[in-house]
Amino acid sequence: MARRAGAWLTWWVLLMSFWVILDDSIATDELLAGAGAAALAAFLAELVTYQAAARVRMRAEWLARVISLPGQVAQDTVTVFGALGRRLARGEEPPSGFRMLPARYGDDTAEGKTRRALLIGSRSFAPNSIALGIDKDRDVMVIHQLVVDEGEAAE
Amino acid sequence: MTAQGIAADVLLGLAAALVLASSAGILVMRDTYQKLHYLTPLALIAPLIVGLAVLVRSGWSENSSETWLALLFVVIGGPFLTHATIRAARIRDKGDWRPGTPPAQGAGTPPAGQGESDHGAGGRDG
């Protein structure tokens, strides 16, 4: 219970900070409105986290992939607009399809769930690929690509 | 007009062009799966370019900080929204997002396999 209250308080502080930054006012009525909104949002965030049994636990090395994302986004943007150009100019269908890439499912601990969420998010970040999920039985990540790239792995 | 103003206008023009091109992509692509790939430029790249334009115009000010804070939410949430949408579309089509599962009642296309086409053409469509 104390842990849940602590998590709620963390959410509240974070959301209240966002309110103050975005609202750009420290008038009492504005702060009260923000405190109420942040309290409600923190309650909903904690409720959803509880219902989904989701806890975030992260390793610093997982964030290393973030460095490669801008380059991947730029490359994929060229790819998808190239496909659009060919579609408009020649009526050519993009060679799209689903692919299964090796990706260890892992365990159901907070760390395992966070890892999967980050893998899926990073795979869906650049425009040419969107992840559907990681199949627990086969240890593969299913992705859809607008222009299929045969030579890469999920991790 | 200052160099900053010109750069900001160029960036805004680029963002507008990107949104128009993405809209064209959504319009001309064949199905939900293909169309979804044009949401990322619309929902992620164009807002980032607008954020850059605000940054160029205002520098690191209160306005640009607010803009980038809002962008942070967009950047974090966007990929997961796209993931949830394509997964829902796949489940609607096949009954399950995983390849190799039996098709849902009423779904006419065969299940996916490794490197499967989303349109049943042996690895790729088109």
Side-chain angles (χ1 to χ4, degrees):
Chain A
M1 187 63 191
R3 190 175 61 83
R4 203 152 292 287
W8 179 88
L9 191 64
T10 307
W11 274 114
W12 186 86
V13 169
L14 184 70
L15 294 166
M16 188 66 197
S17 306
F18 288 151
W19 175 280
V20 171
I21 294 168
L22 291 172
D23 189 46
D24 192 23
S25 168
I26 50 167
T28 308
D29 54 347
E30 296 280 351
L31 289 177
L32 284 174
L40 182 62
F43 170 74
L44 291 174
E46 192 49 30
L47 180 69
V48 168
T49 307
Y50 172 72
Q51 286 187 341
R55 287 279 152 207
V56 176
R57 184 160 295 177
M58 204 174 294
R59 285 192 200 168
E61 65 255 33
W62 292 344
L63 295 176
R65 186 166 179 178
V66 169
I67 296 166
S68 68
L69 286 179
Q72 186 69 50
V73 168
Q75 188 181 333
D76 275 21
T77 302
V78 172
T79 302
V80 297
F81 284 113
L84 176 63
R86 289 190 293 277
R87 173 80 173 149
L88 290 172
R90 302 199 290 264
E92 200 178 293
E93 278 286 332
S96 66
F98 291 96
R99 289 188 63 205
M100 293 198 289
L101 307 174
R104 186 172 52 81
Y105 185 84
D107 52 33
D108 279 325
T109 60
E111 197 173 277
K113 287 176 182 174
T114 307
R115 178 185 147 275
R116 285 194 292 280
L118 288 177
L119 267 178
I120 286 169
S122 63
R123 261 292 163 187
S124 306
F125 200 80
N128 191 44
S129 298
I130 307 172
L132 282 85
I134 300 174
D135 191 336
K136 189 176 187 174
D137 299 329
R138 284 180 278 191
D139 276 340
V140 291
M141 179 190 282
V142 181
I143 65 167
H144 185 271
Q145 289 186 316
L146 183 69
V147 178
V148 171
D149 169 13
E150 300 287 358
E152 53 180 41
E155 60 176 12
Chain B
M1 184 177 268
T2 63
Q4 278 181 333
I6 293 170
D9 287 348
V10 168
L11 286 168
L12 288 174
L14 184 63
L18 207 60
V19 168
L20 285 172
S22 301
S23 305
I26 290 170
L27 199 65
V28 303
M29 287 298 158
R30 189 173 53 192
D31 59 21
T32 309
Y33 304 123
Q34 290 186 355
K35 289 174 193 285
L36 275 173
H37 289 276
Y38 290 92
L39 277 186
T40 303
L42 262 177
L44 182 74
I45 302 169
L48 281 174
I49 295 173
V50 172
L52 279 177
V54 173
L55 193 63
V56 167
R57 174 87 68 167
S58 314
W60 279 114
S61 65
E62 198 175 295
N63 281 342
S64 57
S65 303
E66 289 174 1
T67 303
W68 281 91
L69 182 61
L71 278 173
L72 181 69
F73 290 111
V74 171
V75 167
I76 292 171
F80 293 103
L81 280 176
T82 314
H83 151 72
T85 308
I86 199 166
R87 188 168 160 129
R90 177 74 171 169
I91 290 170
R92 186 182 166 88
D93 275 357
K94 306 281 186 181
D96 196 310
W97 63 268
R98 283 164 294 210
T101 51
Q105 201 169 15
T109 46
Q114 185 138 5
E116 178 222 4
S117 160
D118 42 347
H119 311 292
R124 290 179 178 180
D125 60 317

